[in-house]
Amino acid sequence: AGNVEPGFMISASGNVVIEGSVEGSSIYAGQDILIKGGCQGQGVSEVQAGGNIVGQFFESATLVAEGDITCTYLLNCDLTTENFLHVEGRRGVIIGGHVTAKTGLSCFGIGNMAGTKTPIEVGVGDGDTRAYQELMDRCSKVEEDIKTLEEGIDKIMSMENRDEKLTKALYTQKKEITVLLEEREKSIIKMTKQRSAQVEVKGTTHPQTRIFISSVVYTVRQTLKNVIFLKQDGKVGYKVRTKID
């Protein structure tokens, strides 16, 4: 597609590539979204991807991605990515809105001299912890069911007129636990990445920025330059980056 005009909506199960810009319209994709121009959301645009989102800039839009989000500028956006946020380049700043990047983010600057409030969240949130625990509980329940079924299977199989229902139930439960164990493995990997999430700011972090790392907050009260925010010993603080870009 070229430019996407106000009021339009694009929905696809695969990838979506926009050669121009997006203005006051929404895009939904099962996989990746590439916007070669920018997105002037006008407070109504939604950009949702089952994969990655890449665009020049985003203003006053809602962005949701299962993968990474990459852009050069974010202004007053409500953004959530299950992975990493890259706001690249010398103008790679985040101003206003609310940004959640579960595995961390890297940018050139956060906030502005006017003191625009800019909350940034990375790491493990309360919802992630609940979802992880619910998955663990489901795995335990199915494993218990399988054990119960297996204990009775030999007795059932030795019966001359045996009931096949138990055998089918065991087969069904074993299929379910295979799926659940795959989910558990992915969840463990995801939680590990989230627990080590950091916020890297290569340029300036302005006052009124609030950094949440795994639900612990750090409020920036003075101008900081070239720092990484991280969580250690239950507290959020920052360290100076050794590399100057």
Side-chain angles (χ1 to χ4, degrees):
N3 295 330
V4 185
E5 302 297 331
F8 279 81
M9 186 266 285
I10 294 175
S11 180
S13 58
N15 298 326
V16 173
V17 178
I18 307 299
E19 295 291 339
S21 60
V22 173
E23 185 175 347
S25 50
S26 296
I27 303 171
Y28 305 91
Q31 297 182 28
D32 297 341
I33 294 174
L34 170 60
I35 303 173
K36 294 186 179 180
C39 175
Q40 295 273 5
Q42 300 177 356
V44 297
S45 290
E46 294 184 358
V47 182
Q48 296 188 18
N52 304 317
I53 296 175
V54 179
Q56 278 297 312
F57 65 86
F58 295 92
E59 294 186 8
S60 301
T62 298
L63 290 82
V64 180
E66 290 293 322
D68 292 350
I69 296 180
T70 302
C71 61
T72 61
Y73 178 68
L74 277 175
L75 175 64
N76 295 329
C77 288
D78 187 353
L79 178 152
T80 300
T81 169
E82 293 297 316
N83 279 298
F84 202 87
L85 171 62
H86 307 265
V87 187
E88 301 176 336
R90 287 285 180 177
R91 295 182 60 198
V93 296
I94 304 170
I95 301 173
H98 192 121
V99 167
T100 301
K102 296 294 182 68
T103 64
L105 69 85
S106 175
C107 65
F108 187 76
I110 302 176
N112 58 15
M113 293 181 66
T116 301
K117 292 182 179 179
T118 307
I120 305 290
E121 295 189 44
V122 302
V124 182
D126 293 338
D128 300 306
T129 303
R130 284 194 299 272
Y132 179 80
Q133 188 56 55
E134 287 171 2
L135 178 58
M136 298 303 108
D137 292 344
R138 285 171 60 201
C139 287
S140 297
K141 176 65 169 59
V142 175
E143 286 172 337
E144 288 175 7
D145 290 344
I146 289 173
K147 183 178 179 181
T148 300
L149 290 167
E150 286 179 333
E151 287 173 352
I153 202 75
D154 290 339
K155 187 182 294 184
I156 295 294
M157 294 299 288
S158 65
M159 296 172 68
E160 187 173 339
N161 297 315
R162 62 180 179 270
D163 187 347
E164 297 294 336
K165 289 182 180 179
L166 187 62
T167 307
K168 289 180 180 178
L170 179 60
Y171 176 72
T172 299
Q173 294 295 73
K174 285 194 171 181
K175 281 182 67 177
E176 184 177 352
I177 196 62
T178 299
V179 173
L180 286 173
L181 289 176
E182 288 178 0
E183 284 186 34
R184 184 171 72 178
E185 183 65 26
K186 291 178 182 177
S187 183
I188 289 171
I189 293 171
K190 180 179 175 181
M191 290 285 282
T192 301
K193 289 181 179 178
Q194 290 179 0
R195 287 194 176 104
S196 60
Q198 298 180 345
V199 175
E200 181 181 33
V201 188
K202 301 173 183 178
T204 303
T205 306
H206 292 275
Q208 298 302 319
T209 297
R210 302 183 76 199
I211 307 289
F212 296 82
I213 301 182
S214 295
S215 299
V216 178
V217 64
Y218 180 90
T219 301
V220 178
R221 304 190 185 283
Q222 61 184 19
T223 301
L224 300 174
K225 293 185 179 293
N226 195 44
V227 298
I228 295 174
F229 296 92
L230 68 165
K231 184 178 179 182
Q232 289 183 326
D233 301 323
K235 296 180 180 180
V236 175
Y238 65 90
K239 64 180 181 180
V240 177
R241 294 175 68 247
T242 53
K243 182 180 179 181
I244 299 177
D245 298 297

